[in-house]
């Protein structure tokens, strides 16, 4: 193993240990996070959707399980779980659309579990998860009619999206529906910065679940992210300083 | 049993996940890692079939219950059945008289539709840029739009004017320092998010495969 491989493995194992320990230590404390306006507004929209009998559409994009995009898919599925649990009392169950077969099956399982854990098994509807297309644009062509025709008042776009994300945000805007959009794709993040009133940028994507329904593991993972970020900042500054004084 | 299956599912996922992770670092586990990943690829192919069956059922229900827009569902199901029928017929044709049929279908239907959406996207993005200053008037929006304009004017030589050297220099400066640094910063943040999200799944804190 090379030095970088050893360092990566050690980092992953230490992070796993710290995550498990922090999650156990924080079981009895309430998590507090900094304000992200988009998530605060989403919580408000969820309440409104339940009250006025409209739907939430969760779009998981073209994320899949067998590439480096899988973490984004997991973050999206976490969001599906929390939103389904939150809105289990609503007459209109949320719809989860995706552009990958495996994510589609997992979103079905996630919806089913969320209803079961909320004690509302009878409200689960298997047609609320959809595989709408296998290429990014065919996915968009299949998912946009959901936004238009199925009484959707809130759209949550979380996953891997390309340029087509602009079509989703534009549709939501035309329907006067609230939307929260976040992606791991850099170009699409620039598009979202231009098209969204409250953009969600970078790693804020992975904090989505914690802002909807915080739990100790989410709180622990955000702390670990912060610690690692500071370590990287310090390393970068130290590297730059050593370079300036010709020691590197 | 209700408590038993989530534990089994979580254990299988955690063991497979950790073995795959270790397979990237420990050479002796590479073959096992490849086996697990290849298994996942095969499962993903079958998952597409399940997804298509779900799509079929959703649209069949729309037609049966006469929901709004069921004509589109009818068209979709018809296209799906016709494509499947032709695909199977031509793939089983021993003479291979028309092997390019499915390719032709893709080029003449899917490709033009996707290109049209791409064209629509250009208009949508232009509209979003114009709307940006109305919805969010802060200095970051102004910087964003100014950078976009500089990028646009320096991508290609302008008619009658050609290249504007000062703008080209400014673009290179922005790309080399601000854009690269910003992109790297965002990517580092994303990779940290990927790491902790992956670990949460491996430790069983997030379980999209069953159980709370």
């Amino acid at each position: 193993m090379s030095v970088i491989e050893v360092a990566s493995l050690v980092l992953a194992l230490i992070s796993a240990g710290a995550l498990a320990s922090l999650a156990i230590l924080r079981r009895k404390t309430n998590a507090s996070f900094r304000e992200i306006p988009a998530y605060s507004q989403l919580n408000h929209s969820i309440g409104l959707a339940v009250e006025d009998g409209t739907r939430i559409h969760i779009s998981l994009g073209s994320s899949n399980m067998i590439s480096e995009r899988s973490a984004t898919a997991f973050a999206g599925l976490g969001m599906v779980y929390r939103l389904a649990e939150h809105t289990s009392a609503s007459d209109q169950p949320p719809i989860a659309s995706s552009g990958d077969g495996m994510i589609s099956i997992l979103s079905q399982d996630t919806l089913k579990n969320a209803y079961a854990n909320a004690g509302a098994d009878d409200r689960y509807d298997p047609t609320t998860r959809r595989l709408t297309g296998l290429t990014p644009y065919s996915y968009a062509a299949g998912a946009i009619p959901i936004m238009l025709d199925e009484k959707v008042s809130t759209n949550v776009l979380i996953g891997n999206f390309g340029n087509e994300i602009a079509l989703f945000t534009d549709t939501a805007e035309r329907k006067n529906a609230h939307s929260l959009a976040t992606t791991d794709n850099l170009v699409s993040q620039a598009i979202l910065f231009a098209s969204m009133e409250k953009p969600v940028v970078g790693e804020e994507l992975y904090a989505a679940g914690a802002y909807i329904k915080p739990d100790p593991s989410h709180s622990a993972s955000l702390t670990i992210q912060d610690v690692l970020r500071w370590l990287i900042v310090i390393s970068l500054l130290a590297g730059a300083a050593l370079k300036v004084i010709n020691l590197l | 049993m209700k408590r038993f299956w989530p534990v089994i599912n979580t254990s299988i996922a955690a063991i497979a996940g950790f073995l795959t992770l270790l397979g990237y670092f420990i050479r002796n586990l590479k073959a096992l890692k490849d086996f697990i990943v290849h298994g996942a690829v095969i499962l993903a192919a079958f998952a597409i079939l399940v997804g298509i069956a779900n799509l079929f059922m959703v649209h069949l229900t729309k037609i049966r219950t006469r929901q709004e827009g069921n004509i589109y569902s009818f068209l979709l199901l018809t296209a799906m059945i016709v494509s499947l029928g032709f695909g199977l017929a031509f793939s089983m044709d021993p003479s291979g008289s028309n092997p390019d049929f499915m390719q032709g279908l893709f080029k003449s239907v899917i490709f033009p539709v996707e290109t049209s959406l791409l064209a629509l996207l250009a208009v949508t993005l232009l509209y979003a840029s114009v709307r940006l200053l109305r919805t969010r008037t802060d200095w970051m929006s102004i910087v964003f739009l100014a950078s976009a304009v500089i990028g646009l004017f320096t991508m290609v030589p302008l008619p009658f004017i050609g290249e504007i050297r000062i703008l080209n220099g400014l673009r290179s400066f922005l790309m080399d320092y601000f854009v690269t640094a910003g992109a790297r910063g965002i990517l580092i943040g994303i990779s940290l998010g990927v790491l902790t999200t992956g670990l949460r799944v491996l430790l069983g804190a997030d379980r999209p495969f069953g159980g709370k």
Side-chain angles (χ1 to χ4, degrees), chain A residues 136-170:
Chain A
Y137 282 96
S138 65
Y139 166 66
I144 285 172
I146 297 174
M147 298 167 77
L148 292 169
D149 302 335
E150 306 214 19
K151 285 179 82 178
V152 170
S153 64
T154 302
N155 294 286
V156 178
L157 313 170
I158 177 165
N160 178 247
F161 292 89
N163 298 341
E164 75 280 1
I165 201 165
L167 298 172
F168 285 94
T169 54
D170 185 59

Side-chain angles (χ1 to χ4, degrees), chain A residues 1-2 4-6 8-9 11-13 15-17 19-20 66 68 71-72 74-75 77-78 81-82 85 100-102 104-106 108-110 113 117 121 126-138 140-141 149-150 163-167 169-170 173 183-186 189-199 201-203 206 213 215 217-218 221-222 224-225 228-229 232 236, chain B residues 2 9 18 21-22 24-27 37 39-55 57-59 61-62 67-69 72 76 106 110 113-115 117-122 124-125 127-129 131-136 138 140-142 144-145 182-201 203 205-212:
Chain A
M1 275 203 283
S2 68
I4 291 177
E5 281 177 340
V6 172
S8 307
L9 183 59
L11 179 74
L13 293 176
S15 303
L19 181 65
I66 46 175
E68 68 278 13
T72 317
F74 281 122
L77 289 169
Y81 182 89
R82 280 165 177 79
E85 206 180 32
D100 177 72
M102 219 182 248
S104 176
I105 292 175
L106 286 174
Q108 178 178 14
D109 217 18
T110 305
N113 286 324
N117 290 327
D121 304 55
T127 62
T128 51
R129 64 100 175 177
R130 314 262 172 92
L131 172 73
T132 61
L134 294 171
T135 61
Y137 282 96
S138 65
D149 302 335
E150 306 214 19
N163 298 341
E164 75 280 1
I165 201 165
L167 298 172
T169 54
D170 185 59
E173 171 86 16
T183 174
D184 57 350
N185 183 318
L186 275 180
Q189 286 188 26
I191 291 172
L192 289 179
F193 188 84
S195 57
M196 300 294 295
E197 200 179 330
K198 293 181 171 67
V201 180
E203 74 275 19
Y206 302 96
K213 192 185 173 199
D215 67 23
S217 77
H218 263 118
S221 66
L222 291 184
I224 289 164
Q225 275 184 54
L228 291 175
R229 191 181 300 113
I232 290 170
L236 286 173
Chain B
K2 263 191 170 180
N9 289 340
F18 270 113
L21 177 68
L22 292 175
Y24 280 98
F25 303 107
I26 301 166
R27 282 200 186 91
V37 173
V41 172
I42 294 166
L43 277 177
F46 280 101
I48 291 172
L49 288 178
V50 177
I52 290 169
N54 168 263
L55 187 67
M57 289 311 295
V58 167
H59 287 278
T61 311
K62 271 192 170 184
Q67 288 178 27
E68 195 183 340
Y72 301 113
L76 185 133
F106 182 83
I110 308 280
V113 170
E114 293 200 354
T115 312
L117 281 173
L118 196 65
L120 188 66
L121 190 68
T124 306
L125 284 177
Y127 177 62
S129 311
R131 211 178 47 199
L132 177 64
L133 283 178
R134 195 179 46 141
T135 54
R136 211 175 56 234
D138 54 18
M140 278 307 291
S141 305
I142 295 164
F144 179 84
L145 277 182
R184 280 181 187 165
I186 291 173
L187 286 174
I188 287 171
I190 287 176
S191 50
L192 293 178
V194 168
L195 174 72
T196 53
T197 305
L199 288 175
R200 267 210 322 274
V201 176
L203 295 172
D206 281 354
R207 291 174 230 170
F209 36 77
K212 194 176 178 181

Side-chain angles (χ1 to χ4, degrees), chain A:
Chain A
M1 275 203 283
S2 68
V3 178
I4 291 177
E5 281 177 340
V6 172
S8 307
L9 183 59
V10 169
L11 179 74
L13 293 176
I14 289 175
S15 303
L19 181 65
S21 318
L22 274 176
I24 292 166
L25 286 172
R26 288 187 178 175
R27 269 186 304 184
K28 287 180 183 169
T29 54
N30 288 329
S32 62
F33 307 115
R34 74 181 166 87
E35 165 103 4
I36 297 179
Y39 290 136
S40 308
Q41 201 178 11
L42 176 66
N43 276 319
H44 179 68
S45 300
I46 295 167
L48 284 178
V50 175
E51 271 176 33
D52 66 9
T54 51
R55 269 186 211 279
I56 295 174
H57 169 226
I58 309 144
S59 170
L60 300 169
S62 303
S63 314
N64 63 58
M65 280 289 146
I66 46 175
S67 74
E68 68 278 13
R69 308 284 186 201
S70 59
T72 317
F74 281 122
L77 289 169
M79 194 71 153
V80 170
Y81 182 89
R82 280 165 177 79
L83 290 176
E85 206 180 32
H86 247 58
T87 58
S88 57
S90 169
D91 294 334
Q92 300 284 343
I95 294 179
S97 67
S98 57
D100 177 72
M102 219 182 248
I103 299 297
S104 176
I105 292 175
L106 286 174
S107 60
Q108 178 178 14
D109 217 18
T110 305
L111 285 168
K112 205 173 175 179
N113 286 324
Y115 280 105
N117 290 327
D121 304 55
D122 54 319
R123 285 184 182 266
Y124 167 68
D125 174 3
T127 62
T128 51
R129 64 100 175 177
R130 314 262 172 92
L131 172 73
T132 61
L134 294 171
T135 61
Y137 282 96
S138 65
Y139 166 66
I144 285 172
I146 297 174
M147 298 167 77
L148 292 169
D149 302 335
E150 306 214 19
K151 285 179 82 178
V152 170
S153 64
T154 302
N155 294 286
V156 178
L157 313 170
I158 177 165
N160 178 247
F161 292 89
N163 298 341
E164 75 280 1
I165 201 165
L167 298 172
F168 285 94
T169 54
D170 185 59
T171 306
E173 171 86 16
R174 280 191 286 123
K175 276 287 283 185
N176 222 1
H178 172 255
S179 55
L180 178 140
T182 174
T183 174
D184 57 350
N185 183 318
L186 275 180
V187 175
S188 306
Q189 286 188 26
I191 291 172
L192 289 179
F193 188 84
S195 57
M196 300 294 295
E197 200 179 330
K198 293 181 171 67
V200 179
V201 180
E203 74 275 19
E204 288 174 351
L205 183 161
Y206 302 96
Y211 279 81
I212 305 304
K213 192 185 173 199
D215 67 23
S217 77
H218 263 118
S219 161
S221 66
L222 291 184
T223 306
I224 289 164
Q225 275 184 54
D226 283 342
V227 170
L228 291 175
R229 191 181 300 113
W230 277 110
L231 285 176
I232 290 170
V233 169
I234 292 165
S235 310
L236 286 173
L237 290 175
L242 290 174
K243 189 89 178 167
V244 168
I245 55 175
N246 273 335
L247 281 176
L248 197 70

